[in-house]
Each structure stands twice: as structure tokens, then as C-alpha cells.
Amino acid sequence: MKNPYQALGLTAAATQDEIKKAYRKLAKKYHPDLNPGNKSAEARFKEINNANELIGSAEARDKFDRGEVDTEEASARAQQQAREYYYQTQDRGAGRYGQSFSAGADDIFESLFGSRQKTRSADELYKMDLDFKDALLGAEKEITLPSGKRLLVKIPPGIESGKKLRFAKQGNNGADIYVQLNVAESPLFTRMGNNIELELAISASEALVGAEVKVPTLTGAVMLNIPPLVSTGQKLRVAGKGVKGKGDQFVKIKIVNPSASSGAMDEEFKAAVKAWSKRHPFNPRSENERSL
Amino acid sequence: MNETRQFFSLFEVCQDTGLTQELVFHYIEQEWISPHSAVLPEEKCMDHEDLARIKLILELQQDFGINDDAIPVILHLIDQLHGLRNDILKSREENQL
């Protein structure tokens, strides 16, 4: 690798200001975007850039001058960081930006002096991700359009995934804008129209004698009164906690027993339950058995 | 070039270029870059072309000392250059056929 001072056409006695000036002067001359497709200019620019990395700031230069920089390693790192230059994205009509000035089928002068924006007139569709909660309760989101214009999107409560909101004449050349919403799923709640459902695990003893438990809702936790003798699958209603102003939240009961290894079901407990069941026989399958 | 087309979110672009979100919005408002979809923080709204263009603008500003007023003039001329370059290449290829 070339000595960075030589690469910038300087000697080691150069001042920091001279280094900056030399770098800017050479970068302007050899920048790949000002020399599209010129491989030797690109190689020279890399060299200049490398030199600037090594001695462009007083701090880096001190390190380099003290011999603390492995120039081979720095050069390899620069190679690794090789980037795509803008001209490469526009090569052979591949780029959007250059294409809008390409004569193509149009009159060349029209495309040279016409604005890029003129080519757009059709309705514009944008996609937007939305939280489960915002879709249920409604929200206001500001988005920035590719034209730079900011648009306030008011999300009505209860909007469903895939629905489009229309903004008349907000696009380029008076085009309509559509914002299509993609509503995220919730790890807790399932949507059922205007209502939402939450599965709630309770213990067998809570199911038998009832309890007051904390239940999450879209607007924070509430205390829910579980009446005695509820069964798995039974749904309890929490009013007004679904789609704002329209729906409720249903809490679906799921009875969960401790695992066998937890030791919660000890011999004393088993004996007590057996004795109690004998005195209060209950067969939840009796109806099924009758119909067989 | 389509096979190399990559998309980046606003976060990724800021991380890669060191620009703040506000500055990226400024570039968009000035119409220096024109992302293909609405710019939302998580959305992959910019492609490799936008990213390379942002880096070019940054170099024009920081290394070449070009002020904001001259940036659109330079970009406009560069866009024209690429358009014309492609037209010349295309017509040269057609003439060879």
C-alpha cells in the first residue's frame, strides 16, 4: 500500500490543514461518481480515501506517525468495506433516478426539462404496519410520503387488517393516496369482530370456589371476579374492553393443574379430594353416556 | 441489477450513514431522494439506490464542501448524465445488432 502522504501528494511535514485541502482536491477529481465507469479513477479514489482514513484527523495521524497502525490491515479493512457507488446503481438503465431523465420513448427535451414528478399521476398505495391495540382503539400516525409530504393518518377504532384508507387528492398531481393497513397479531388477544378474547389460566381451587384475579386488557389490567364453579371453555365478559365504543373482552377460562413433579399434589391432598368426591359424586360425562 | 436489489429501513439507513432520522427526512423533503414507499421507522422503504445516493450527498456536503443550495443542481445534472449515458449505450448496442 502506498504511503498515505504520497497518496495525497504531500510529505510527512504537511500540516493538518494541508492534508484536508489535498484530500478534498483529489477526491473531487477522482470521485467514482464524477468518473462513472473509470476503473483507474476509482482505484485512485480508494487510495486517497484510505490515506484520509489514516492521516485525515490529528488523532489518526498521531497513531500512524507513531507506527501503531498496521497499514496492510487498514487496507484490507477498507477493501472489505468496499461500497456500492451511486453510478453503479444507475448503470445500464437500472436506476430509478437516472431513468426518469432517459429519453426512452419520450421527447428528449421534455424529459430533460420536465420534472420527475410529472411522470406520476396514478393513485398511490402505501402499506403501513399497525399495532393490534391501535387497530382496536384507534390512533393517529404521521407518515412521510416519498415526495417528502407528511400525512396524518387517523385510524378509526376497529379497523381490520388489509383495509385501505383513502386520502383524496393528497398525492402527486392530485392523485389519491391509499394507505393499506397491516394489523399485527397480539400474543395475548384474539380478535372476534368487535370483541376480543383472552385465555385465562386459573387453578382448580380458583375454579371451584371462585376468586378475584388480575386480567390484562388493552387499556391496562383490571380485577375480574370469577364466580365459583366455572369450567374450562366458559367465557366471562369484561364490558367495554374490545373495539373502542363497540365491543367487549371475553375471558375464556382454562383450568390448569400443577405438574406432577411440583409436589403440590401431596398424599394429604389426594386423600382429602378422594374422600370429598365420594361424598359428593359428580360425573361430567353423564349426559354423553345417556345419549350413547 | 434486480438480483442485487436490497431494501433498508430508516433505522438501517441511519446506522449505515451516521445520519439522524431528521436529516433523512430533510433529504426526502428536499426531493434529493425519493423512496419507493412511505417512510415508517420499521418499513424497508429505501433501496440500495437510495442508500448510495445518500452517501454521495453526504460526500458532496462533507468532503466537497458543497452547500444545500447546490446539491439539487448537482443531483439533477448527475441524473441527466446517467439518463443520457444509458441512452447512448442503448443506441450503440442497437446499432451494433
Side-chain angles (χ1 to χ4, degrees), chain A residues 250-262:
Chain A
F250 286 90
V251 176
K252 197 174 166 187
I253 297 295
K254 184 186 176 189
I255 298 168
V256 177
N257 285 319
S259 67
S261 59
S262 69

Side-chain angles (χ1 to χ4, degrees), chain A residues 23-24 31 83-84 86 88 90 92-93 95-97 101-103 112 116 120 127 143-144 146 150, chain B residues 1 25 29 31 34-35 39-40 43 47-50 53 59 62-63 79-80 85-87 93:
Chain A
Y23 166 71
R24 281 191 170 186
H31 194 288
R83 62 181 248 214
E84 185 179 35
Y86 180 64
Q88 291 167 316
Q90 304 301 305
R92 304 206 154 258
R96 286 181 283 130
Y97 294 98
F101 286 96
S102 173
L112 278 179
R116 186 164 37 235
R120 292 189 195 146
K127 289 188 176 162
I143 60 172
T144 304
R150 295 192 182 189
Chain B
M1 271 298 219
F25 281 130
E29 274 163 1
E31 297 185 6
S34 187
V39 181
L40 295 160
E43 182 122 358
D47 62 9
H48 67 127
E49 214 181 316
D50 297 313
R53 194 169 166 99
E59 275 167 346
Q62 292 174 355
D63 294 340
D79 289 341
Q80 278 191 46
R85 222 170 147 249
N86 290 324
D87 288 341
E93 275 167 13

